[in-house]
Amino acid sequence: MKAEIIAVGTEVLMGQVINSNAAVISESLNDLGVDVVYHTTVGDNKERLFNCIKQASSRVDLVLLSGGLGPTPDDLTRDVLAQYLNEDLVRFEPGYEKLLDYFAQTGREHTKNNDLQVLTLKNGIALPNETGFAIGTYIEKNETIYVTLPGPPSELIPMLKNHFLPLLAGQKGVGAHLYTRVLRFYGIGESQLVTRLSSLIDTQEQVTIAPYAKTAEVTLRLATKLSENALDEVEKKILQTADVGEFFYGYGDENSLVQVSVDLLKEKGKTITAAESLTAGKFQSSLGDIAGVSSVFKGGFVTYSLETKADFLQIDVTKLAQHGMISEFSAEKMAEQALKLAKSDYALSFTGVAGPDEMEEKKVGTVFIGLARKGQKTLVEECHFPRNRKYIRISAVMKGLDVLRRELLENK
Amino acid sequence: MKAEIIAVGTEVLMGQVINSNAAVISESLNDLGVDVVYHTTVGDNKERLFNCIKQASSRVDLVLLSGGLGPTPDDLTRDVLAQYLNEDLVRFEPGYEKLLDYFAQTGREHTKNNDLQVLTLKNGIALPNETGFAIGTYIEKNETIYVTLPGPPSELIPMLKNHFLPLLAGQKGVGAHLYTRVLRFYGIGESQLVTRLSSLIDTQEQVTIAPYAKTAEVTLRLATKLSENALDEVEKKILQTADVGEFFYGYGDENSLVQVSVDLLKEKGKTITAAESLTAGKFQSSLGDIAGVSSVFKGGFVTYSLETKADFLQIDVTKLAQHGMISEFSAEKMAEQALKLAKSDYALSFTGVAGPDEMEEKKVGTVFIGLARKGQKTLVEECHFPRNRKYIRISAVMKGLDVLRRELLENK
């Protein structure tokens, strides 16, 4: 089954409202095996809306309209669909009762235009509105299903999940469940990843492999109508591909490098601290994003200047000035002193040039990341990150998290 | 001039990505007096994309495509548009140079598919990508303008504002110039603001006033075709409205509380430090977002546990345990000790409950924010923020910035 989602509303075309409904609806339909092939947005304009419905009818099996069900004159969806399908509008009595109760209880003036919201197609199935008044409709005509849902997400989502999807699930061509899995990679670019997997991607027929570039990382989304096993097989092939598996760090849309690293710290019963210069607390703040991190993270330092590196971390200021703040020496000492002062098992340090200007004759994007380890030699890595100040600081934090993650994995 | 915006990408149809680009583009085009009459989203499918472009050509004067300019096989926009317009693709040399530099700098493998991103239409005008590699194109053919922009908002927005809009502004039917101004408010909700301004908003005919709720702040966008003076007059009325002007803190879409606060610190020649518990470095990291902040910010502390509050900040651990970590005492001492240790003019402290669980019998969302001031009494404010962990931590940082900003404004 193929579907098109039509959002109706001039406020969307003006850019005053972001059309998040289309994403919510699409995800739900995909999970029922329905292919959403078009999203369309049209303004509060009778003729254009009519033509959009007509076009959709000619190219999909399910036409889903969101918005334009309210009480005001610019709410046209109800009338235009009735006109297109040559259907009568009738009052949905339970919805009308709810309306009467509301005005009785609140004592607000019951203006007649409110009653428009509870009109629905005579031969259709009314979709109740749990959080508002505008009634939706489900109707099948000429082998095409037409559905109307209200525009506000707070009204659309309950109607979608509790009333429309259960109705749809019964239909033919629906409900072939889609199995999906997200693999997350750090340290490899989207184009590299795709190049290395190109033959696999090209030869896959039953499982689709879709790459997405995220900020300083890449995800692969696997999807199939077959089974979890089919996903397992393709995942295995992907992770066994040369120069690919080593960059894989975890599963899931909600997952992240910081989540994985914190989980490893907890699992190994180790603690982490940090001394941050160019990142200015961004690494530690990312730890703070994770609920319950306090068992592995007690605190750390932001040392943005020469003085604070010397004062807070008790680093020999003369030596620091000799080597420079942006140096292997600086990163090493920052990490080691933070480790000592925080009595921690691991300490990360970040020092570098976020830009816009060079510092100490080091190019913008030059970053030294140190990892001090209780009872082991401190590691320092020199990195060169591209783009702008924002991206350089994020990249440094991501790299630091990956350095920590790999250390924890090796450290059995 | 009429426009259609076509988003290209299966990830949008799958609902994995919300199409926020359409809103950004629509708003910009509206400012130039261009009517956006359709938004369309189509997947990574040659035939469907071709037909979408064909249809758009038949009904609008400006066809704007976003997405599908990347290096992977599912990035089809470049090729399909070239095919539709019967145009050759040529390499945009400056973009290619940038690509070479990147791979030289980072030492990453330069796979050939990367070069696809710098191809553009032979008879078109290349649109440079300031934050990425995929090049856009602007071409007029058969009295229709075609434009391609990259999918990631971080790349699309600079290309749109700095390269495409200036080109478009010259065209006929464009640029009934719109005068716009953005006013930023912190400390008042969107509905409150709109209620207090309702009569003003209703009576405005020549100047539109559009409110937008942002994370923990609200902006008002004023727009008119008249003049800057018309904006001045409406702004004056807004800021003179009771319980409104006091929450205004600055102008502009790119502005922020942290930018305004850092500018004030520089202007007054004062320095700031911080001791952060629940925010775990988020406040200091926000300072680090601002280029050149090093003249007013030297560093600070993240004290996430009782021990680090006592050790790093030399606070009497017995008293701290008595009062609790989430207390006025704790916030006061954290700020005062940070001020002393960092030899700073001001110090902010953040301690509270980010959740999900209560702490020290304090409800989730309870936050104490301290402001230590050289030679003056320390101020402590108890706040209660709603929603979730993420929102509570952001709200605390915003509140801290506003406390600092107001102090700097009063301190003549």
Side-chain angles (χ1 to χ4, degrees), chain B residues 218-244:
Chain B
V218 189
T219 66
L220 282 182
R221 186 163 178 284
L222 314 185
T224 183
K225 290 186 176 170
L226 292 180
S227 66
E228 286 292 333
N229 290 348
L231 294 181
D232 294 341
E233 281 174 30
V234 172
E235 175 186 333
K236 202 170 156 204
K237 287 182 190 162
I238 290 169
L239 299 186
Q240 283 172 352
T241 305
D243 303 327
V244 169

mmCIF file of all heavy atoms in Angstrom, chain B residues 218-244:
data_model
loop_
_atom_site.group_PDB
_atom_site.id
_atom_site.type_symbol
_atom_site.label_atom_id
_atom_site.label_comp_id
_atom_site.label_asym_id
_atom_site.label_seq_id
_atom_site.Cartn_x
_atom_site.Cartn_y
_atom_site.Cartn_z
ATOM 1 N N VAL B 218 11.325 33.561 24.234
ATOM 2 C CA VAL B 218 10.332 33.868 23.200
ATOM 3 C C VAL B 218 10.866 34.989 22.326
ATOM 4 O O VAL B 218 11.531 35.904 22.815
ATOM 5 C CB VAL B 218 8.996 34.341 23.820
ATOM 6 C CG1 VAL B 218 7.914 34.441 22.749
ATOM 7 C CG2 VAL B 218 8.555 33.426 24.943
ATOM 8 N N THR B 219 10.592 34.933 21.022
ATOM 9 C CA THR B 219 10.939 36.059 20.155
ATOM 10 C C THR B 219 9.666 36.606 19.504
ATOM 11 O O THR B 219 8.698 35.880 19.305
ATOM 12 C CB THR B 219 11.929 35.649 19.039
ATOM 13 O OG1 THR B 219 11.277 34.726 18.161
ATOM 14 C CG2 THR B 219 13.175 35.008 19.619
ATOM 15 N N LEU B 220 9.692 37.890 19.213
ATOM 16 C CA LEU B 220 8.631 38.530 18.441
ATOM 17 C C LEU B 220 9.238 38.993 17.136
ATOM 18 O O LEU B 220 10.257 39.690 17.131
ATOM 19 C CB LEU B 220 8.075 39.744 19.177
ATOM 20 C CG LEU B 220 7.095 39.536 20.322
ATOM 21 C CD1 LEU B 220 6.657 40.897 20.843
ATOM 22 C CD2 LEU B 220 5.895 38.709 19.892
ATOM 23 N N ARG B 221 8.620 38.599 16.020
ATOM 24 C CA ARG B 221 9.133 39.015 14.722
ATOM 25 C C ARG B 221 8.208 40.084 14.155
ATOM 26 O O ARG B 221 7.029 39.841 13.919
ATOM 27 C CB ARG B 221 9.199 37.815 13.789
ATOM 28 C CG ARG B 221 9.837 38.097 12.462
ATOM 29 C CD ARG B 221 10.226 36.788 11.781
ATOM 30 N NE ARG B 221 10.803 37.018 10.480
ATOM 31 C CZ ARG B 221 10.090 37.341 9.410
ATOM 32 N NH1 ARG B 221 8.789 37.474 9.522
ATOM 33 N NH2 ARG B 221 10.678 37.537 8.246
ATOM 34 N N LEU B 222 8.748 41.283 13.970
ATOM 35 C CA LEU B 222 7.985 42.379 13.382
ATOM 36 C C LEU B 222 8.305 42.440 11.898
ATOM 37 O O LEU B 222 9.466 42.314 11.512
ATOM 38 C CB LEU B 222 8.364 43.713 14.035
ATOM 39 C CG LEU B 222 8.462 43.752 15.568
ATOM 40 C CD1 LEU B 222 8.727 45.182 16.031
ATOM 41 C CD2 LEU B 222 7.218 43.185 16.202
ATOM 42 N N ALA B 223 7.293 42.616 11.061
ATOM 43 C CA ALA B 223 7.519 42.706 9.620
ATOM 44 C C ALA B 223 6.585 43.728 8.995
ATOM 45 O O ALA B 223 5.403 43.788 9.337
ATOM 46 C CB ALA B 223 7.315 41.346 8.972
ATOM 47 N N THR B 224 7.114 44.556 8.089
ATOM 48 C CA THR B 224 6.296 45.544 7.384
ATOM 49 C C THR B 224 6.921 45.884 6.041
ATOM 50 O O THR B 224 8.137 45.739 5.876
ATOM 51 C CB THR B 224 6.158 46.842 8.207
ATOM 52 O OG1 THR B 224 5.293 47.735 7.503
ATOM 53 C CG2 THR B 224 7.514 47.515 8.404
ATOM 54 N N LYS B 225 6.086 46.326 5.109
ATOM 55 C CA LYS B 225 6.622 46.781 3.826
ATOM 56 C C LYS B 225 6.801 48.297 3.833
ATOM 57 O O LYS B 225 7.269 48.878 2.856
ATOM 58 C CB LYS B 225 5.694 46.343 2.680
ATOM 59 C CG LYS B 225 5.737 44.840 2.460
ATOM 60 C CD LYS B 225 4.969 44.351 1.270
ATOM 61 C CE LYS B 225 5.181 42.830 1.120
ATOM 62 N NZ LYS B 225 4.289 42.217 0.115
ATOM 63 N N LEU B 226 6.455 48.949 4.955
ATOM 64 C CA LEU B 226 6.513 50.414 5.029
ATOM 65 C C LEU B 226 7.929 50.942 5.188
ATOM 66 O O LEU B 226 8.530 51.441 4.252
ATOM 67 C CB LEU B 226 5.651 50.901 6.202
ATOM 68 C CG LEU B 226 4.144 50.718 6.089
ATOM 69 C CD1 LEU B 226 3.457 51.255 7.336
ATOM 70 C CD2 LEU B 226 3.624 51.434 4.838
ATOM 71 N N SER B 227 8.499 50.802 6.392
ATOM 72 C CA SER B 227 9.801 51.436 6.682
ATOM 73 C C SER B 227 10.326 50.992 8.045
ATOM 74 O O SER B 227 9.592 50.408 8.840
ATOM 75 C CB SER B 227 9.624 52.957 6.722
ATOM 76 O OG SER B 227 8.802 53.278 7.845
ATOM 77 N N GLU B 228 11.597 51.314 8.298
ATOM 78 C CA GLU B 228 12.195 51.048 9.608
ATOM 79 C C GLU B 228 11.439 51.831 10.689
ATOM 80 O O GLU B 228 11.236 51.342 11.797
ATOM 81 C CB GLU B 228 13.670 51.446 9.617
ATOM 82 C CG GLU B 228 14.594 50.492 8.858
ATOM 83 C CD GLU B 228 14.721 49.136 9.531
ATOM 84 O OE1 GLU B 228 14.556 49.061 10.765
ATOM 85 O OE2 GLU B 228 14.957 48.143 8.802
ATOM 86 N N ASN B 229 11.009 53.041 10.337
ATOM 87 C CA ASN B 229 10.289 53.876 11.319
ATOM 88 C C ASN B 229 9.034 53.178 11.819
ATOM 89 O O ASN B 229 8.712 53.228 13.004
ATOM 90 C CB ASN B 229 9.895 55.217 10.695
ATOM 91 C CG ASN B 229 11.131 56.072 10.457
ATOM 92 O OD1 ASN B 229 12.209 55.749 10.955
ATOM 93 N ND2 ASN B 229 10.972 57.140 9.679
ATOM 94 N N ALA B 230 8.335 52.535 10.896
ATOM 95 C CA ALA B 230 7.113 51.820 11.294
ATOM 96 C C ALA B 230 7.461 50.747 12.325
ATOM 97 O O ALA B 230 6.735 50.551 13.304
ATOM 98 C CB ALA B 230 6.459 51.203 10.068
ATOM 99 N N LEU B 231 8.611 50.090 12.124
ATOM 100 C CA LEU B 231 9.055 49.084 13.099
ATOM 101 C C LEU B 231 9.381 49.741 14.434
ATOM 102 O O LEU B 231 8.998 49.243 15.486
ATOM 103 C CB LEU B 231 10.282 48.343 12.564
ATOM 104 C CG LEU B 231 10.093 47.465 11.325
ATOM 105 C CD1 LEU B 231 11.407 46.787 10.944
ATOM 106 C CD2 LEU B 231 9.027 46.405 11.565
ATOM 107 N N ASP B 232 10.082 50.890 14.345
ATOM 108 C CA ASP B 232 10.444 51.614 15.583
ATOM 109 C C ASP B 232 9.203 51.901 16.416
ATOM 110 O O ASP B 232 9.173 51.657 17.622
ATOM 111 C CB ASP B 232 11.142 52.932 15.238
ATOM 112 C CG ASP B 232 12.493 52.711 14.575
ATOM 113 O OD1 ASP B 232 13.035 51.597 14.720
ATOM 114 O OD2 ASP B 232 12.978 53.633 13.887
ATOM 115 N N GLU B 233 8.160 52.398 15.739
ATOM 116 C CA GLU B 233 6.946 52.790 16.466
ATOM 117 C C GLU B 233 6.304 51.600 17.175
ATOM 118 O O GLU B 233 5.970 51.667 18.358
ATOM 119 C CB GLU B 233 5.926 53.395 15.495
ATOM 120 C CG GLU B 233 6.241 54.838 15.132
ATOM 121 C CD GLU B 233 5.302 55.361 14.049
ATOM 122 O OE1 GLU B 233 4.137 54.890 13.995
ATOM 123 O OE2 GLU B 233 5.759 56.212 13.250
ATOM 124 N N VAL B 234 6.169 50.484 16.445
ATOM 125 C CA VAL B 234 5.539 49.299 17.039
ATOM 126 C C VAL B 234 6.414 48.749 18.168
ATOM 127 O O VAL B 234 5.919 48.397 19.239
ATOM 128 C CB VAL B 234 5.283 48.217 15.974
ATOM 129 C CG1 VAL B 234 4.805 46.932 16.621
ATOM 130 C CG2 VAL B 234 4.251 48.715 14.970
ATOM 131 N N GLU B 235 7.730 48.723 17.942
ATOM 132 C CA GLU B 235 8.632 48.243 18.998
ATOM 133 C C GLU B 235 8.432 49.074 20.264
ATOM 134 O O GLU B 235 8.321 48.523 21.366
ATOM 135 C CB GLU B 235 10.091 48.344 18.543
ATOM 136 C CG GLU B 235 11.071 47.964 19.654
ATOM 137 C CD GLU B 235 12.522 48.193 19.268
ATOM 138 O OE1 GLU B 235 12.831 48.152 18.048
ATOM 139 O OE2 GLU B 235 13.342 48.425 20.174
ATOM 140 N N LYS B 236 8.332 50.394 20.079
ATOM 141 C CA LYS B 236 8.163 51.290 21.228
ATOM 142 C C LYS B 236 6.891 50.915 21.999
ATOM 143 O O LYS B 236 6.919 50.741 23.217
ATOM 144 C CB LYS B 236 8.095 52.738 20.729
ATOM 145 C CG LYS B 236 8.450 53.778 21.788
ATOM 146 C CD LYS B 236 8.601 55.168 21.158
ATOM 147 C CE LYS B 236 8.367 56.234 22.218
ATOM 148 N NZ LYS B 236 7.940 57.517 21.628
ATOM 149 N N LYS B 237 5.792 50.719 21.243
ATOM 150 C CA LYS B 237 4.522 50.353 21.886
ATOM 151 C C LYS B 237 4.659 49.030 22.654
ATOM 152 O O LYS B 237 4.172 48.893 23.765
ATOM 153 C CB LYS B 237 3.408 50.221 20.834
ATOM 154 C CG LYS B 237 2.931 51.552 20.278
ATOM 155 C CD LYS B 237 1.802 51.345 19.271
ATOM 156 C CE LYS B 237 1.481 52.638 18.530
ATOM 157 N NZ LYS B 237 0.717 52.381 17.275
ATOM 158 N N ILE B 238 5.346 48.082 22.033
ATOM 159 C CA ILE B 238 5.504 46.760 22.670
ATOM 160 C C ILE B 238 6.265 46.902 23.988
ATOM 161 O O ILE B 238 5.822 46.443 25.039
ATOM 162 C CB ILE B 238 6.253 45.782 21.733
ATOM 163 C CG1 ILE B 238 5.354 45.415 20.546
ATOM 164 C CG2 ILE B 238 6.679 44.531 22.486
ATOM 165 C CD1 ILE B 238 6.078 44.664 19.440
ATOM 166 N N LEU B 239 7.415 47.590 23.919
ATOM 167 C CA LEU B 239 8.280 47.669 25.100
ATOM 168 C C LEU B 239 7.680 48.534 26.197
ATOM 169 O O LEU B 239 8.050 48.419 27.363
ATOM 170 C CB LEU B 239 9.670 48.167 24.703
ATOM 171 C CG LEU B 239 10.421 47.274 23.709
ATOM 172 C CD1 LEU B 239 11.831 47.770 23.484
ATOM 173 C CD2 LEU B 239 10.426 45.818 24.187
ATOM 174 N N GLN B 240 6.691 49.398 25.820
ATOM 175 C CA GLN B 240 6.042 50.235 26.833
ATOM 176 C C GLN B 240 4.837 49.531 27.444
ATOM 177 O O GLN B 240 4.273 49.993 28.423
ATOM 178 C CB GLN B 240 5.615 51.564 26.213
ATOM 179 C CG GLN B 240 6.787 52.529 26.019
ATOM 180 C CD GLN B 240 6.384 53.753 25.234
ATOM 181 O OE1 GLN B 240 5.276 53.835 24.696
ATOM 182 N NE2 GLN B 240 7.296 54.718 25.160
ATOM 183 N N THR B 241 4.428 48.390 26.872
ATOM 184 C CA THR B 241 3.304 47.640 27.439
ATOM 185 C C THR B 241 3.676 47.098 28.816
ATOM 186 O O THR B 241 4.796 46.630 29.017
ATOM 187 C CB THR B 241 2.929 46.469 26.508
ATOM 188 O OG1 THR B 241 2.681 46.988 25.203
ATOM 189 C CG2 THR B 241 1.696 45.732 27.015
ATOM 190 N N ALA B 242 2.708 47.188 29.744
ATOM 191 C CA ALA B 242 2.981 46.755 31.124
ATOM 192 C C ALA B 242 3.423 45.299 31.162
ATOM 193 O O ALA B 242 2.885 44.457 30.433
ATOM 194 C CB ALA B 242 1.725 46.932 31.970
ATOM 195 N N ASP B 243 4.406 44.992 31.999
ATOM 196 C CA ASP B 243 4.890 43.614 32.172
ATOM 197 C C ASP B 243 5.371 42.985 30.876
ATOM 198 O O ASP B 243 5.157 41.788 30.659
ATOM 199 C CB ASP B 243 3.792 42.740 32.793
ATOM 200 C CG ASP B 243 3.312 43.314 34.111
ATOM 201 O OD1 ASP B 243 4.142 43.916 34.822
ATOM 202 O OD2 ASP B 243 2.107 43.209 34.405
ATOM 203 N N VAL B 244 5.951 43.760 29.981
ATOM 204 C CA VAL B 244 6.517 43.201 28.746
ATOM 205 C C VAL B 244 7.956 43.687 28.555
ATOM 206 O O VAL B 244 8.887 42.890 28.491
ATOM 207 C CB VAL B 244 5.658 43.566 27.501
ATOM 208 C CG1 VAL B 244 6.388 43.213 26.214
ATOM 209 C CG2 VAL B 244 4.318 42.846 27.573
#
